[in-house]
Amino acid sequence: MSVYLLFDVGSTYTKGCIVDLNSETVLGQTSVYTSADTDINEGIERAKQRMARVLDNVSIDKTYVCSSAKGGLKMVAIGLVPDLTLKAATLACFSAGAKVIQAYSYALNESEIQQIEASDCDILLLCGGTDGGNSEVVLHNAKKISAIERKFPIIYAGNKSCQDEVGTILDQAGFECVVCPNVMPGYGILDVDVCRDEIRTIFLNHIVKAKGLSKLTTLIEEIVLPTPYSVLEALKLLSKGTKTETGLGD
């Protein structure tokens, strides 16, 4: 018997599920209110108590958790042209399981900076310009962002010609800035994989702790994932299948 214990920690409900992989059966499942205001670990423990009759009679091989508690992973995306680098930026956010709460293009103005300051974003993704393309607007936006008092992680994934300057501007302003390859290195070319992985890494290393999820590490053997990212990976698997089983297709 190979049994997995699965949890989805949502904003309202924490769902628990016990699955026997060999027989492909659900052995138990439950749902409790998420304890986001105190300690999310409490909701996990209540879910385990409700499934205790099953848990007492099986050996759990692995435990996996995904979470969208406290609003999930919220991001601000900034690009240059709406249909090009901004679209690439938002695609990178979505592919990482994030919710884009604000999106901006071209040169940022003071009103937009105030909106970002007032937002409760977890990460800001700054893009713009193809490699070797527009640097002026990207540097303008970096300088505007550097004046924001509230600090949050920033990922720069724009024109590589000015990435050193952008990194310096934001680092000196007190932001944690991670530089990635350009999400649109050339016209019509998308390269979001590295950026998506960096978003996920920041989510795990910073956002999870900030949202009170860090105590889940006592329960899980594998990393916590944003729920939308988990759903995306599940749907890809369902569509494409495995080496031994054909997927359902599009």
Side-chain angles (χ1 to χ4, degrees), residues 124-146:
L124 183 146
L125 175 58
L126 175 60
C127 302
T130 56
D131 286 343
N134 186 300
S135 293
E136 181 181 351
V137 172
V138 176
L139 289 171
H140 165 87
N141 288 343
K143 291 173 182 175
K144 281 286 190 180
I145 293 167
S146 69

Side-chain angles (χ1 to χ4, degrees), residues 67-82:
S67 175
S68 58
K70 292 194 176 179
L73 175 58
K74 300 183 289 294
M75 293 188 63
V76 169
I78 300 172
L80 182 55
V81 179

Side-chain angles (χ1 to χ4, degrees), residues 20-158:
D20 183 342
L21 271 64
N22 291 340
S23 64
E24 298 184 1
T25 56
V26 175
L27 303 179
Q29 57 188 146
T30 192
S31 178
V32 300
Y33 280 113
T34 295
S35 50
D37 293 333
T38 54
D39 181 353
I40 287 173
N41 194 47
E42 294 175 6
I44 292 281
E45 288 297 332
R46 286 203 303 272
K48 289 175 67 179
Q49 290 169 10
R50 286 196 176 187
M51 298 187 292
R53 183 178 59 82
V54 177
L55 289 173
D56 289 344
N57 293 286
V58 297
S59 176
I60 300 298
D61 295 288
K62 283 188 178 294
T63 301
Y64 289 99
V65 179
C66 62
S67 175
S68 58
K70 292 194 176 179
L73 175 58
K74 300 183 289 294
M75 293 188 63
V76 169
I78 300 172
L80 182 55
V81 179
D83 290 335
L84 296 174
T85 51
L86 178 56
K87 190 173 183 178
T90 55
L91 179 61
C93 296
F94 293 146
S95 68
K99 179 193 301 180
V100 178
I101 58 173
Q102 293 174 356
Y104 302 97
S105 56
Y106 304 118
L108 293 170
N109 58 40
E110 192 57 37
S111 174
E112 291 169 330
I113 289 297
Q114 291 174 6
Q115 291 171 17
I116 297 171
E117 174 91 67
S119 76
D120 60 346
C121 74
D122 298 310
I123 305 172
L124 183 146
L125 175 58
L126 175 60
C127 302
T130 56
D131 286 343
N134 186 300
S135 293
E136 181 181 351
V137 172
V138 176
L139 289 171
H140 165 87
N141 288 343
K143 291 173 182 175
K144 281 286 190 180
I145 293 167
S146 69
I148 294 176
E149 293 186 9
R150 188 174 77 86
K151 305 305 177 188
F152 38 74
I154 295 177
I155 297 175
Y156 175 67

